Amino acid sequence: MAENEKVGQNAQPASGKADKAKKDKKTEKKPGIFARIGRWFHELKVELKKVVWPTRKQTINNTLIVIACVVFVGIFIWLFDAVANALIQALFHFVGQFR
């Protein structure tokens, strides 16, 4: 029961803090447009410093992999299209014989 009393006591100040935070937010003035833009550029610069950029070798390797995949998929689609075209032409030829 003592634990319940502690929880009840802790709940009251928390709601008081929430009310105070709401009041503070209402009274705080929103920063100007130039201050927000400046902050955005500053945060952008900080985030770009965290980026791990790939090496030249990694970039070339990844580019070659992408080109190989594009060529492979292109050939696959070309073959599928050629087979489908041949099947449709055979079907039209077959149906044309019955007319």
Side-chain angles (χ1 to χ4, degrees):
M1 184 163 207
E3 291 177 14
N4 291 340
E5 291 174 4
K6 289 180 183 177
V7 170
Q9 290 174 355
N10 289 340
Q12 291 173 353
S15 64
K17 289 180 183 178
D19 291 337
K20 186 177 179 182
K22 287 180 184 177
K23 289 178 185 176
D24 287 344
K25 286 185 179 181
K26 288 181 182 177
T27 58
E28 283 183 16
K29 194 171 184 180
K30 190 174 181 180
I33 185 75
F34 294 110
R36 289 184 290 175
I37 292 172
R39 186 177 65 217
W40 185 83
F41 276 111
H42 174 72
E43 291 173 2
L44 176 71
K45 184 178 175 183
V46 169
E47 289 298 320
L48 284 176
K49 286 182 180 179
K50 295 178 185 178
V51 173
V52 179
W53 297 99
T55 64
R56 182 177 180 89
K57 184 177 178 182
Q58 289 172 329
T59 303
I60 291 170
N61 188 33
N62 292 343
T63 303
L64 292 175
I65 290 171
V66 168
I67 291 171
C69 289
V70 167
V71 168
F72 176 76
V73 170
I75 291 171
F76 178 78
I77 291 173
W78 176 72
L79 286 174
F80 180 78
D81 183 54
V83 169
N85 189 25
L87 288 173
I88 290 172
Q89 291 297 327
L91 182 65
F92 282 151
H93 181 70
F94 181 70
V95 171
Q97 288 179 352
F98 291 113
R99 287 188 165 197

